[in-house]
Amino acid sequence: MREQIARVSHALRDSWARMSAALHDTKREKGVVRLDADVAYACVAPAAEHLRQLCTEAQQTWAGSEAAALCDEALSMEIWAHVHTSVLASADIEEAVDRLDMAVALSQQGLGDPTLPLSALADLFEQTPIQQCMDLFSYAESRAALLTQDLVPTAGKGLVFLRMCNELQRRLSVVHEEHATLAGRILLLLSTTLPLHERSGVNLKGESNTAHAAELEALDEQVEPLAAGAAPSALAEHPALYELFWSLQHYMANPAALLAPGTGAPLPGAAPAQHLHRLPEVENGAALTPMQVFQAGVQCMLDVLNAVPATPAPVTRPAKRARTDAHPAYLSARRVFSYELQDPLFRRQFLVQCLVVFQYLLGQSRASRERAKDWTNKLILQTNELTESEEQWTRKTWRQVQNLLRDSGPDGRAILDIVLNVLRRESAWVQWKGVGAPSTQRAPLDAETYAAWQGRVAATLARPAPAPLVPMGSAELRRLWEEGLHVPAPSSVQVQTEEGEVKTLHTDGLEDLEGPGGTPSLVSMDRQMKRHAGDDDEALAKREGLAWRALRCVDPAHLHLMACMRAPDDVDGLLQAMQAEAQGEAYEPPTMGEEPEEESEPEPEEAEAKEPEAKEPEAKEPEAEEPEAEEPEAEEPEAEDTEPDAKAPEAKDTEPQADAAHEPETTPQATHEAMQVDEPDSAPPHLPDHDARSSSLSSSSSSPLSTSEDDADPDSTFLTAPAADPRSPG
């Protein structure tokens, strides 16, 4: 048995050397530094196959003996030790890559432990500097399919692979640009290799990373507190604002601390908030809660950001970025804080942090916890619940932050949309973790189900298309095709011309298919009105309807001649005016716009219409009086006979009447209409409703940062109750 193990060990060294030579020759022929995975495996596969046959023969010799298991373990340890020693003794990265390919080939042939390539790569990562680890990790990405074949996340390869990635990521710096890039590549490899519901990648408890904390400069004790009710511009210049802002990062990094009850211990941000007179009054000597300090700090910062304008970034052509050794990070020095407040990127960073914390808080409200009562993962819910007043403040401040983020620059609206979409996705992930993070993968169909569905799909596709319900395209064409065309018999019909003559027309029976007749002319409408010249109600109604139809038939070019009509039904006068205009003559009727003179006793409405003519100019002030003051004047029609100047307009020359034809607004009738418009009970329908507009503007939110209902964005959380009305005071 010892001889068999020694022979296998000697064959292993010989095969290892032949595989290394094959890889070296292939790279030299192709002129490349590193081979692809398929080419490298094809080079080392023959030697690995030969070694597998020798190991199989050796295992058959001691099969059935009591020491068979011990011999198999000894052979596996011999291969393990040789591979690890050879990989760690590599002169450079390329030689180590070749030896790792050889280890992958041995693992594919079933030699040694299945975790052999991953464990050798993990040991190599531990002994390699970070700069070379970046190149070595590229090899791991290119061989990920072979290294993670048959990987189980909770045992074997899965544990080795996860530990290797975590150890490498722990060595990286958080501020170095290249390190941050490598950390992202590690996370991408983990996410594409391990399943989505793997417990190592799901934060079921909702824990926060509180390792990074900003170093603050202490506030000078000699700084005087700010006066109560100071302007936001004074807040921006006070030294306590610096400490208040960076103290809020304690709550931003750990939102769960906001729901913890007050213990009486000094809270981060309480001292600077006290200097700025922003803390609320606590009754009965109760201790301040972290939520109260957070609310005071956030509202103070929002007031400052709303008052301090941001410095717009210069619009210049972006230069080629130079290679840097550090990833940019925000500094927490006091002397740069005033400049950071004016930086649009710095302001957006703070506003996005506020939205993230607000979504977490709204997820702990009563409505959200009620919807989450059926969740299997109770660890994600906090012990304390968000109160109703705290929820109202969070929703109100949410909209203020949205407005500030939208107005943070020319691309503010696009940035706000992106942030809200990310928050919606995060809310969906929280719900997924709340139900236990179930697997998103679905098992394939079994053979029987797949065969049944395959048969149904084939039968559905092979079924002929149903015949159309109407073969000819429409019901009328089908009826015409089946029954044929039945031409109606010719007939005759009596029609009346525009001159009133009755004629008999012969038709072919297809007159229903013809288009509608033309528009009637004013001449025909005038003749029909003259046939109804009676004074009875039926004739008046008929004449009124015909006059309305006649006015609608007037050509748009003759609309200005409608002012020459003595009455609404004076179509004859309109025709005379049209004829006079066609002949180049002026048509001015002497009685245009006046009431008939044959009536001896005018009606009350007519007396009221004439009364402004008889009054002196200084007496024309009916608008300042109440509507009831006009009623005694309309009830005295005899005043025309008693006053000597009442008939003065009738004794005047006809020249003023001719001028009245060109100015219809000065006629008594127009004056009467103007007096009726001024009554308080009648409002002109064409005027805009200024009161309604002002009421709609006053219905917006009372906050100076809130917008109207049309511009306000909806509440973007999935975990919260329906958003409150933005116009409500809460």
Side-chain angles (χ1 to χ4, degrees):
M1 186 177 298
R2 291 180 179 177
E3 295 178 357
Q4 293 290 340
I5 294 178
R7 188 174 64 177
V8 171
S9 178
H10 178 73
L12 173 62
R13 289 177 175 82
D14 183 56
S15 300
W16 193 263
R18 287 192 289 116
M19 286 189 293
S20 179
L23 290 174
H24 181 71
D25 295 341
T26 305
K27 288 193 297 184
R28 184 176 56 186
E29 292 176 1
K30 293 182 175 294
V32 295
V33 179
R34 184 177 300 177
L35 298 175
D36 295 336
D38 298 337
V39 178
Y41 182 76
C43 293
V44 300
E49 177 68 19
H50 177 68
L51 182 61
R52 185 187 64 80
Q53 294 177 0
L54 292 178
C55 293
T56 302
E57 294 175 0
Q59 289 175 348
Q60 290 177 355
T61 57
W62 61 66
S65 61
E66 297 179 357
L70 183 61
C71 293
D72 291 340
E73 184 178 357
L75 181 60
S76 178
M77 291 299 298
E78 179 69 19
I79 297 175
W80 177 283
H82 181 77
V83 170
H84 276 252
T85 303
S86 178
V87 170
L88 296 179
S90 303
D92 54 7
I93 295 297
E94 297 304 325
E95 185 178 356
V97 166
D98 292 343
R99 294 180 179 182
L100 287 173
D101 283 335
M102 293 172 356
V104 171
L106 295 180
S107 178
Q108 293 291 323
Q109 295 295 333
L111 301 175
D113 193 87
T115 62
L116 177 61
L118 279 175
S119 60
L121 182 60
D123 293 344
L124 186 61
F125 271 126
E126 293 179 359
Q127 300 183 8
T128 305
I130 293 296
Q131 194 65 28
Q132 298 179 1
C133 284
M134 297 179 184
D135 189 15
L136 188 59
F137 190 77
S138 301
Y139 166 79
E141 292 175 331
S142 62
R143 306 295 195 272
L146 296 175
L147 293 174
T148 61
Q149 187 176 5
D150 300 330
L151 182 142
V152 179
T154 57
K157 286 185 179 181
L159 297 179
V160 176
F161 179 73
L162 184 60
R163 182 171 57 253
M164 177 189 70
C165 294
N166 290 338
E167 290 295 335
L168 179 59
Q169 191 174 16
R170 193 175 293 112
R171 295 171 56 191
L172 301 177
S173 174
V174 295
V175 297
H176 200 283
E177 184 179 13
E178 294 182 351
H179 290 199
T181 304
L182 180 57
R185 292 167 59 188
I186 294 173
L187 294 178
L188 286 177
L189 182 60
L190 285 171
S191 62
T192 55
T193 303
L194 300 178
L196 187 63
H197 61 280
E198 169 58 29
R199 292 297 188 268
S200 60
V202 179
N203 187 9
L204 292 177
K205 295 182 179 180
E207 298 177 348
S208 303
N209 183 14
T210 58
H212 305 286
E215 298 181 1
L216 304 183
E217 299 179 8
L219 181 65
D220 191 0
E221 297 180 357
Q222 299 179 358
V223 175
E224 297 181 0
L226 189 66
S233 58
L235 288 174
E237 299 176 357
H238 199 275
L241 184 66
Y242 158 80
E243 186 176 353
L244 177 63
F245 174 82
W246 288 108
S247 299
L248 291 177
Q249 297 301 314
H250 171 77
Y251 306 106
M252 299 287 190
N254 187 19
L258 295 173
L259 300 178
T263 59
L267 297 174
Q274 185 70 29
H275 278 77
L276 299 175
H277 286 280
R278 285 286 178 165
L279 289 180
E281 297 181 358
V282 182
E283 299 179 357
N284 301 328
L288 284 172
T289 61
M291 190 66 182
Q292 292 175 339
V293 178
F294 177 75
Q295 290 178 354
V298 169
Q299 193 62 50
C300 179
M301 289 306 306
L302 293 181
D303 294 342
V304 171
L305 294 182
N306 190 39
V308 177
T311 302
V315 182
T316 57
R317 183 176 181 180
K320 185 177 181 180
R321 192 181 65 164
R323 183 181 179 88
T324 57
D325 295 335
H327 188 71
Y330 291 114
L331 304 177
S332 58
R334 184 184 295 273
R335 62 180 180 273
V336 299
F337 180 65
S338 59
Y339 301 100
E340 289 176 336
L341 287 180
Q342 300 177 8
D343 184 12
L345 298 180
F346 185 84
R347 299 159 69 101
R348 289 173 179 174
Q349 177 76 13
F350 173 73
L351 295 175
V352 172
Q353 283 182 323
C354 292
L355 292 180
V356 173
V357 176
F358 291 165
Q359 175 160 300
Y360 174 83
L361 293 176
L362 293 176
Q364 309 299 330
S365 62
R366 178 176 302 178
S368 300
R369 295 170 72 94
E370 182 67 21
R371 289 194 297 269
K373 61 181 179 180
D374 297 333
W375 285 3
T376 57
N377 180 20
K378 302 297 183 180
L379 300 176
I380 203 171
L381 297 176
Q382 297 296 325
T383 305
N384 298 325
E385 182 181 303
L386 195 69
T387 62
E388 184 177 357
S389 60
E390 294 172 349
E391 181 181 357
Q392 293 179 359
W393 176 86
T394 304
R395 294 186 183 278
K396 175 184 177 181
T397 315
W398 174 286
R399 294 178 176 85
Q400 295 181 8
V401 172
Q402 281 187 346
N403 295 335
L404 284 175
L405 189 58
R406 184 188 300 109
D407 301 336
S408 60
D411 54 347
R413 182 174 292 274
I415 292 177
L416 176 61
D417 294 340
I418 294 173
V419 172
L420 294 181
N421 287 332
V422 173
L423 292 179
R424 293 188 189 101
R425 291 179 61 87
E426 289 298 323
S427 180
W429 285 118
V430 171
Q431 294 184 10
W432 174 71
K433 290 193 293 185
V435 296
S439 175
T440 57
Q441 299 178 356
R442 296 292 180 265
L445 300 176
D446 53 5
E448 297 180 359
T449 307
Y450 178 76
W453 277 103
Q454 190 177 17
R456 292 184 60 182
V457 170
T460 303
L461 297 178
R463 184 182 304 170
L469 300 178
V470 184
M472 300 305 298
S474 65
E476 292 297 329
L477 289 177
R478 181 177 181 181
R479 182 183 61 81
L480 184 62
W481 179 263
E482 294 177 352
E483 301 178 2
L485 178 61
H486 301 282
V487 181
S491 60
S492 59
V493 62
Q494 292 183 351
V495 297
Q496 187 177 13
T497 62
E498 294 183 356
E499 290 76 10
E501 300 179 0
V502 178
K503 294 184 178 181
T504 302
L505 298 179
H506 298 280
T507 61
D508 54 0
L510 300 177
E511 58 273 5
D512 294 338
L513 301 179
E514 298 178 357
T519 305
S521 61
L522 283 176
V523 177
S524 60
M525 301 300 295
D526 184 40
R527 290 174 180 173
Q528 296 183 28
M529 292 176 60
K530 291 180 179 179
R531 296 191 187 99
H532 302 83
D535 297 335
D536 54 337
D537 296 340
E538 183 178 358
L540 292 175
K542 186 67 174 179
R543 197 162 54 247
E544 181 180 358
L546 292 174
W548 170 246
R549 293 174 57 189
L551 294 179
R552 297 188 63 182
C553 298
V554 178
D555 189 87
H558 298 150
L559 293 179
H560 64 284
L561 298 178
M562 295 177 63
C564 299
M565 299 174 61
R566 294 184 297 271
D569 57 349
D570 188 15
V571 180
D572 192 11
L574 179 59
L575 290 174
Q576 295 178 13
M578 292 169 59
Q579 184 179 2
E581 185 182 29
Q583 297 176 359
E585 301 176 358
Y587 178 79
E588 297 179 358
T591 58
M592 181 181 62
E594 294 187 359
E595 297 294 338
E597 299 180 0
E598 59 271 14
E599 295 183 3
S600 59
E601 187 174 355
E603 296 294 331
E605 292 81 359
E606 298 175 358
E608 184 179 357
K610 294 181 180 180
E611 189 173 357
E613 295 183 2
K615 290 185 177 182
E616 297 295 331
E618 59 271 8
K620 189 178 180 181
E621 295 181 357
E623 298 179 358
E625 300 179 359
E626 295 295 331
E628 291 79 0
E630 299 178 0
E631 295 180 1
E633 298 177 2
E635 294 177 357
E636 298 179 0
E638 295 82 1
E640 296 182 357
D641 300 335
T642 58
E643 296 180 4
D645 297 336
K647 297 297 183 176
E650 297 181 2
K652 293 181 180 180
D653 192 18
T654 58
E655 185 175 356
Q657 296 179 358
D659 296 336
H662 299 282
E663 298 180 0
E665 63 275 9
T666 59
T667 58
Q669 184 178 358
T671 306
H672 175 65
E673 293 175 357
M675 293 174 60
Q676 291 186 353
V677 167
D678 293 334
E679 293 181 3
D681 294 337
S682 61
H686 62 278
L687 295 178
D689 193 356
H690 297 285
D691 296 338
R693 182 178 301 177
S694 61
S695 62
S696 63
L697 292 175
S698 62
S699 63
S700 60
S701 177
S702 59
S703 174
L705 300 179
S706 61
T707 59
S708 62
E709 186 176 0
D710 298 335
D711 297 334
D713 293 333
D715 199 343
S716 304
T717 57
F718 275 54
L719 299 178
T720 61
D725 189 0
R727 297 173 295 182
S728 62

